Amino acid sequence: MKDTLRSLTWTGKALRLLDQTLLPEQLVYWDCTESRQVADAIRILAVRGAPAIGVAAAYACVLALREAQKGGGDWAAISSRFHDACTYIDQARPTAVNLSWAVRQMRDVFAASAPEMAEENLLARAQAIEEEDRATCRRIGENGAALFAGRTGLNLLTHCNTGALATAGIGTAFGVFVTLAERGQIRCVYADETRPLLQGARLTATELMEDSIPCCLIADTMSAAVMRDRRIDAVIVGADRIAANGDTANKIGTYSLAVLAAYHHIPFYIAAPFSTFDFTIQSGKDIVIEERDADEVRRFGGVYTAPRRVPVYNPAFDVTPAELIRGIITERGVLTPPFADSISQYERSLSNE
Ligand code: MRU
């Protein structure tokens, strides 16, 4: 991955974000010195992808404390301003659990810190979250690649963007592609364009080309034909929230792919780190699905492609039922059905650290 395609960089004074809404045509970076700027960047998808949102939110909390301290007053006043800013960050987007997971950690670190240590401790935790994500992506890549040991000429299909732009590392599902490509096992990664905002076309296709991974971009409407005609070996996608029973929220269109994969007897895998699991919810019914602005569907690149006032339904995510998922590739191995058991074992292994 080229360094220019890093989704975020902490500069010491600011969180530098690559504005992903302008890719692939323009490389524009924003230096966010205020927590609200980061939260708003998350809201408009300048930074997006569940793990990257979590890392960005953690750094936003560091900025939030700096702002709260500048406002003066006693520690109670600073603390109250810090928590208000954390709430604003937390509410930027509802579906990717990595966001609230990161903000909760930062609030906990704040609560456990003496005032003179709070900023240093928050920064250390944000950096640890970023570093951990980088290492986690590598392990997901290894564990996913192990599923295809000894095989070459693989045709894989993916949706949305799960690469370096969506994480702090090589990516989740994309990390599996990178690892397999390093071992010469890939014939082609087919990338869905991912309507309405084209994360597949604008971001995944860019990353595949940058990493010289053999690839082919397709419109979302082509997936069924590609599965039937191009001998797809597996579908691998990312996740925004995984419930305790394995039901998984990911970019809208993922559910259709899972149904199509089942029809064509193609294994369907999710790749995700521990920060994407929501062990507190029993099933996908409890996942809040973000609905976004109607104009995202009515127009693209500022040009209307539909009547300006046509009613629109624009859920940003859908939930794939666990029964359609062959395995969940994590940093600790591949979880398999029954997911209620494998996920609870996974949760126990995390809490035993
Ligand atoms: O709306 P987005 O672009 O943030 O949606 C991103 C996705 O759905 C990704 O597939 C998911 O976050 C996994 S990122 C490794």
Side-chain angles (χ1 to χ4, degrees), residues 233-255:
D233 293 290
V235 178
I236 314 179
V237 298
D240 287 82
R241 192 181 292 236
I242 302 173
N245 71 345
D247 290 351
T248 296
N250 190 48
K251 178 53 58 192
I252 189 74
T254 302
Y255 173 37

Side-chain angles (χ1 to χ4, degrees), residues 20 42 45 47-53 93 95-96 98 133 137 158-167 171-174 194 197 199 202-203 237-241 249-252 254 271-273 276 290 292 316-318:
Q20 298 189 30
I42 292 172
L45 312 192
V47 59
R48 33 69 47 210
I53 290 173
R93 293 185 77 187
T95 305
N98 313 60
D133 187 57
C137 284
T158 194
H159 191 64
C160 197
N161 173 261
T162 63
L165 290 165
T167 64
T172 56
F174 199 94
T194 317
L197 295 180
Q199 287 93 331
R202 296 185 303 102
L203 311 178
V237 298
D240 287 82
R241 192 181 292 236
N250 190 48
K251 178 53 58 192
I252 189 74
T254 302
T276 303
E290 173 184 15
R292 295 186 61 85
F317 302 95
D318 55 28

Side-chain angles (χ1 to χ4, degrees), residues 256-272:
S256 337
L257 277 190
V259 172
L260 289 173
Y263 180 82
H264 292 94
H265 309 291
I266 294 169
F268 180 90
Y269 293 102
I270 299 289

Side-chain angles (χ1 to χ4, degrees), residues 239-313:
D240 287 82
R241 192 181 292 236
I242 302 173
N245 71 345
D247 290 351
T248 296
N250 190 48
K251 178 53 58 192
I252 189 74
T254 302
Y255 173 37
S256 337
L257 277 190
V259 172
L260 289 173
Y263 180 82
H264 292 94
H265 309 291
I266 294 169
F268 180 90
Y269 293 102
I270 299 289
F274 62 96
S275 52
T276 303
F277 285 78
D278 186 345
F279 303 108
T280 69
I281 58 169
Q282 292 317 303
S283 80
K285 286 199 196 78
D286 300 321
I287 299 177
V288 177
I289 299 294
E290 173 184 15
E291 281 194 42
R292 295 186 61 85
D293 196 285
D295 270 355
E296 289 184 351
V297 177
R298 292 190 194 115
R299 66 181 188 187
F300 196 79
V303 177
Y304 278 89
T305 53
R308 287 174 187 238
R309 291 170 59 204
V310 67
V312 161
Y313 175 47

